[in-house]
């Protein structure tokens, strides 16, 4: 019987072993590690949010798709539905021409509280293969990418019945379930990486 308990203890230790970050974001694999400064100069590392679900939102305030979602309160309402003790929302701007002042001005104008992480060299965006604004990623508490794609199924803003993929993914993870739609085709403006 002692052998069975030892085997179970070893199995449990193996299952809870730390997850190491990958070089590229892929659903089912560890998320690429990063540290970026926000609009106020505070550094944020993905590793500091271990144990929480992390939503990454690639953005560009000048993009008509981003403007539409912020005007419609899509991002704000999605974020409001989450328990801040369990879910962290980080907005990432990989636009090469943006800076802390433009990010702070946009944040103030839109009235949201999450940090805007500045990735002006595009290294983090490229490691995640972020193609559009918005482009969304949901990372579980162990640091594994569980969703990558669009915020919803409504690229033109005309669907009568919208499916919010990010809301669905986060809800599934918080309830210990598998994410029903792990990927979708992101839509929006191309990320304006430094050339």
């Amino acid at each position: 019987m002692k052998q069975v308990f030892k085997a179970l203890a070893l199995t449990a230790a193996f299952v809870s072993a730390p997850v190491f970050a990958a070089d590229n974001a892929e659903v089912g694999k560890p998320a690429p590690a990063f540290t970026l400064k926000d609009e106020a100069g505070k550094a944020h590392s993905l590793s500091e949010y271990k144990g929480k679900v992390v939503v990454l939102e690639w953005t560009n305030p000048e993009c008509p798709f981003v403007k539409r979602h912020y005007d419609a309160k899509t991002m704000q309402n999605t974020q409001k539905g989450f328990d801040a003790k369990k879910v962290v929302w980080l907005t990432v701007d990989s636009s090469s021409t943006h800076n802390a002042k433009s990010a702070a001005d946009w944040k103030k104008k839109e009235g949201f509280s999450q940090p805007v992480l500045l990735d002006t060299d595009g290294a983090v965006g490229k490691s995640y293969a972020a193609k559009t604004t918005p482009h969304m990623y949901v990372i579980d508490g162990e640091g594994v990418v569980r969703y990558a794609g669009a915020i919803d199924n409504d690229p033109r803003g005309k669907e009568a019945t919208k499916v919010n993929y990010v809301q669905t993914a986060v809800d599934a993870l918080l309830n210990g379930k598998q994410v029903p739609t792990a990927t979708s085709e992101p839509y929006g403006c191309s990320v304006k990486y430094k050339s």
Side-chain angles (χ1 to χ4, degrees):
M1 194 65 161
K2 286 183 181 179
Q3 295 295 351
V4 171
F5 286 117
K6 282 183 181 177
L8 287 173
L10 284 173
T11 302
F14 178 76
V15 169
S16 63
V19 175
F20 296 99
D23 292 333
N24 293 311
E26 187 178 329
V27 171
K29 303 275 173 106
F34 66 82
T35 299
L36 291 172
K37 288 187 178 180
D38 67 18
E39 78 290 345
K42 180 183 179 207
H44 297 262
S45 296
L46 182 60
S47 61
E48 74 187 78
Y49 301 111
K50 186 165 176 62
K52 294 185 178 189
V53 173
V54 176
V55 176
L56 298 179
E57 170 204 352
W58 255 264
T59 195
N60 176 350
E62 298 162 2
C63 171
F65 289 89
V66 170
K67 287 179 181 181
R68 176 172 63 81
H69 279 296
Y70 274 86
D71 288 348
K73 305 287 187 218
T74 307
M75 302 305 181
Q76 301 94 313
N77 289 336
T78 302
Q79 186 179 0
K80 257 193 247 178
F82 300 143
D83 181 345
K85 292 178 184 166
K86 297 177 182 177
V87 181
V88 175
W89 188 294
L90 301 172
T91 300
V92 183
D93 189 342
S94 294
S95 304
S96 63
T97 59
H98 294 169
N99 57 38
K101 182 181 181 336
S102 63
D105 290 348
W106 178 61
K107 180 176 174 173
K108 183 177 179 181
K109 174 185 173 265
E110 295 299 337
F112 59 81
S113 61
Q114 78 268 14
V116 179
L117 307 184
L118 300 168
D119 176 41
T120 55
D121 69 359
V124 175
K126 289 175 183 173
S127 74
Y128 276 81
K131 298 188 292 188
T132 62
T133 56
H135 196 154
M136 310 296 294
Y137 296 84
V138 178
I139 301 165
D140 70 15
E142 293 300 312
V144 176
V145 178
R146 295 299 178 190
Y147 174 76
I151 180 73
D152 60 24
N153 66 335
D154 192 20
R156 301 285 168 228
K158 297 181 181 189
E159 290 292 325
T161 306
K162 294 175 180 64
V163 176
N164 187 316
Y165 298 126
V166 171
Q167 178 79 52
T168 303
V170 172
D171 288 347
L173 291 173
L174 292 177
N175 289 300
K177 297 181 180 176
Q178 187 170 345
V179 174
T181 303
T183 62
S184 67
E185 188 62 36
Y187 63 82
C189 307
S190 63
V191 177
K192 305 302 185 248
Y193 289 116
K194 187 175 187 174
S195 45

